[in-house]
Amino acid sequence: MIYRSGGGTMTGNKWLLLLLFIGSQARASLLPSASGGGSMELGLVRGHSWSVEGDGGPKLELTREVLRHDVNRYKMIISAKHRRESAPMTRRKAWEEDYLNGNAWMEAPMTAGRDYGIGEYVVQVKVGTPPKKFWLIADTGSDLTWMRCLYDHQKPRRGHRPGVLLPAKSSTFATIPCSSHTCKVDLMNLFSLSRCPTPSSPCAYDFRYTDGSFAKGIFAYETISVDLTSSGPKKLERMLIGCSEIIKGQTLQPVDGVLGLANSEYSFTARAAREFGGKFSYCLVDHLSHKNLSNHLTFGSRPQSRSPLLGDMQYTKLVLGRPLNPLYGVDILGISVGGTILGIPVQVWAPNSGGGTVIDSGTSLTLLAAPAYRLIFGALEASLSRYKKVDEKLSPLKYCFDSTGFNESLIPRLGIHFKDGAVFEPQVKSYVIDAAPGIKCLGLLSVSWPGVSVIGNILQQNHLWEFNLAKGKLGFAPSSCIYI
């Protein structure tokens, strides 16, 4: 996600919540695991953005207002490109030397968030001493891990949700003084506030999102507990967290906070990857799945037997550092539809020419720079035009139709071709999506050019994705993502 604080733009939480939950409120959940030296998986809960009926589950309506959140999230992603001038590339060699125990791994269950009414995946982590469970959105664009918190309180306020950190009850919670170099210099990129009533007062932050949501609180160090797959519990001590006392905004209400997975020295990823072999991965179950279908977010070397692959693992270069930092960029050569490479200008894929592409767990739809979108839409329009176009407008989705008699085998396959030869072919259901009962839409959005394109989590579904930070590679392969 990407934040705005005060007058500045912030990146860390690129929120683009696509769903509007209609019905009873539900919570997202995930379980964290620990590892002491190689791999760790954190449970994710996947949200979705459509209305589904007939199976007794809650209904989610894809509306104009909901899609507005995705557009806002994109604005945050764009702002991230300009916010960070420094990049972690200089740390790569040191990271390769520092990564520990490449054979160990940590995992936790991941399930779809349709039952929770949110558009992201959620992981359950245990924070504090003694450890307490929190349901946090897993966000590859967020630097900071933060959760609901009541600083100076011995117990939650009456009527307050259970997922609240009580620092007074944790023996390992330690504030960061506002007079410290850490607060005044190191955390400025995470939007620490300049106010400092006394030298020992906690370092404060105010995260503002483009949709009007915000989180205010203080920075602290705390212990996060994980469960190793091989040797039991492990504690990640003195992890930087945010203790958010004031949280406003509909998109932030279903969960307890955010797990920062960005390519940043302050993110959860930086510490966990260093502990578990320099890599993390996730396998996204179908976005319409119920929470009883699980997979995992993993840190370390994930055994393939956990999620059988349906094809060979392919690898492509991760584009890390500026101008896309702290997001995870990829080098795209072009896009094909039905096996034919489209004539998309090469500048669309070039980060230093106003373009570039990132892969993002927190954006649901896939957002394409206008020159790419126009050609892709044109190539798909003929196969979609055989179905009756609906009058109701689910703006900003450009093309929606009555799905009666829909046959996905008649839809040309989309292919994303990377410069080093790898090709990602998502399933048709990942770009021709269910938007409402009896209605499908082309699940791609056009964004202005110049601008960054975003591979959203719906396009990523039913694939295993491995982010190898030590080697600067992204691996992917089709999978049912059914955990065994």
Side-chain angles (χ1 to χ4, degrees):
M1 294 156 69
I2 295 155
Y3 309 92
R4 295 185 179 274
S5 175
T9 298
M10 324 173 160
T11 185
N13 268 343
K14 311 175 300 288
W15 290 85
L16 251 177
L17 189 54
L18 293 175
L19 323 168
L20 179 60
F21 181 60
I22 308 297
S24 59
Q25 185 176 1
R27 286 178 62 218
S29 56
L30 266 213
L31 294 172
S33 287
S35 127
S39 160
M40 140 186 143
E41 294 193 356
L42 299 176
L44 296 182
V45 175
R46 157 80 198 120
H48 74 110
S49 9
W50 347 111
S51 175
V52 180
E53 63 180 359
D55 54 7
K59 294 183 179 180
L60 296 174
E61 187 78 19
L62 180 63
T63 66
R64 188 174 296 127
E65 175 66 18
V66 172
L67 286 170
R68 184 180 65 84
H69 288 292
D70 240 356
V71 175
N72 283 334
R73 181 178 176 90
Y74 181 73
K75 292 176 182 177
M76 300 179 206
I77 290 175
I78 290 297
S79 70
K81 189 176 179 183
H82 303 291
R83 183 173 71 87
R84 294 284 183 89
E85 291 302 322
S86 60
M89 299 296 287
T90 57
R91 298 169 55 233
R92 178 77 49 73
K93 182 173 179 58
W95 276 25
E96 290 176 353
E97 297 170 353
D98 288 348
Y99 285 135
L100 307 173
N101 243 328
N103 296 322
W105 54 291
M106 177 187 102
E107 67 177 3
M110 175 177 65
T111 63
R114 66 167 292 170
D115 294 335
Y116 303 94
I118 63 169
E120 294 80 22
Y121 291 80
V122 181
V123 58
Q124 184 196 71
V125 299
K126 300 173 186 176
V127 181
T129 306
K132 184 175 181 179
K133 294 178 181 179
F134 294 87
W135 308 110
L136 307 180
I137 288 176
D139 191 349
T140 54
S142 292
D143 302 88
L144 181 67
T145 293
W146 63 263
M147 66 269 331
R148 297 174 185 274
C149 182
L150 293 176
Y151 184 55
D152 287 339
H153 285 74
Q154 293 291 330
K155 59 183 180 180
R157 301 185 184 107
R158 177 174 297 182
H160 210 291
R161 61 189 301 142
V164 177
L165 180 64
L166 298 174
K169 295 289 188 179
S170 174
S171 63
T172 48
F173 185 92
T175 60
I176 298 173
C178 61
S179 59
S180 66
H181 183 277
T182 299
C183 181
K184 294 190 295 183
V185 179
D186 298 341
L187 295 179
M188 284 302 294
N189 276 340
L190 292 180
F191 315 105
S192 59
L193 300 178
S194 59
R195 70 167 185 258
C196 192
T198 68
S200 60
S201 296
C203 183
Y205 60 78
D206 182 353
F207 292 170
R208 300 256 169 192
Y209 303 92
T210 55
D211 66 353
S213 303
F214 63 81
K216 298 180 181 181
I218 61 172
F219 292 105
Y221 294 117
E222 183 56 289
T223 295
I224 295 182
S225 300
V226 293
D227 296 324
L228 286 180
T229 53
S230 56
S231 57
K234 175 182 174 60
K235 294 181 178 180
L236 302 179
E237 299 176 340
R238 290 185 63 78
M239 294 284 295
L240 178 69
I241 68 162
C243 165
S244 294
E245 295 194 272
I246 303 175
I247 301 172
K248 181 180 179 181
Q250 181 179 357
T251 59
L252 301 178
Q253 296 312 310
V255 294
D256 301 325
V258 172
L259 184 71
L261 297 176
N263 183 39
S264 159
E265 61 182 313
Y266 296 111
S267 71
F268 184 82
T269 296
R271 175 69 177 277
R274 200 177 295 247
E275 296 274 349
F276 304 108
K279 65 179 70 172
F280 73 94
S281 61
Y282 53 68
C283 200
L284 303 185
V285 296
D286 188 288
H287 70 282
L288 298 179
S289 300
H290 288 289
K291 60 184 178 182
N292 61 335
L293 182 63
S294 67
N295 204 274
H296 292 77
L297 169 66
T298 306
F299 278 84
S301 299
R302 175 195 196 107
Q304 289 191 2
S305 60
R306 294 284 187 173
S307 296
L309 302 182
L310 302 178
D312 293 334
M313 198 78 173
Q314 299 184 70
Y315 293 92
T316 188
K317 176 185 175 182
L318 270 176
V319 180
L320 303 175
R322 56 185 174 187
L324 299 176
N325 184 57
L327 310 174
Y328 297 97
V330 288
D331 253 339
I332 291 181
L333 176 65
I335 289 182
S336 64
V337 174
T340 300
I341 295 287
L342 305 179
I344 300 170
V346 294
Q347 293 85 352
V348 168
W349 315 121
N352 294 318
S353 299
T357 307
V358 298
I359 182 167
D360 181 33
S361 70
T363 301
S364 291
L365 297 180
T366 289
L367 314 176
L368 296 166
Y373 179 87
R374 283 194 294 268
L375 289 173
I376 294 170
F377 175 76
L380 290 171
E381 186 176 18
S383 62
L384 297 177
S385 63
R386 71 184 73 214
Y387 304 103
K388 181 181 179 182
K389 193 170 182 179
V390 297
D391 292 330
E392 73 176 276
K393 298 183 184 297
L394 292 172
S395 178
L397 292 181
K398 183 175 181 179
Y399 199 98
C400 296
F401 58 92
D402 185 328
S403 61
T404 302
F406 178 74
N407 184 350
E408 72 171 36
S409 67
L410 300 178
I411 306 299
R413 292 298 294 269
L414 185 71
I416 298 179
H417 300 252
F418 299 99
K419 286 185 177 180
D420 39 21
V423 181
F424 168 50
E425 290 191 338
Q427 297 180 354
V428 172
K429 68 175 183 179
S430 299
Y431 54 94
V432 180
I433 60 178
D434 294 305
I439 296 175
K440 289 184 181 290
C441 296
L442 180 61
L444 308 174
L445 291 181
S446 176
V447 294
S448 62
W449 169 255
V452 177
S453 297
V454 182
I455 299 175
N457 56 34
I458 293 177
L459 204 69
Q460 299 173 48
Q461 69 184 357
N462 295 122
H463 280 74
L464 171 67
W465 298 90
E466 179 186 271
F467 295 74
N468 191 323
L469 304 181
K471 296 184 178 180
K473 297 193 306 181
L474 174 68
F476 59 91
S479 174
S480 66
C481 293
I482 297 177
Y483 184 78
I484 61 175

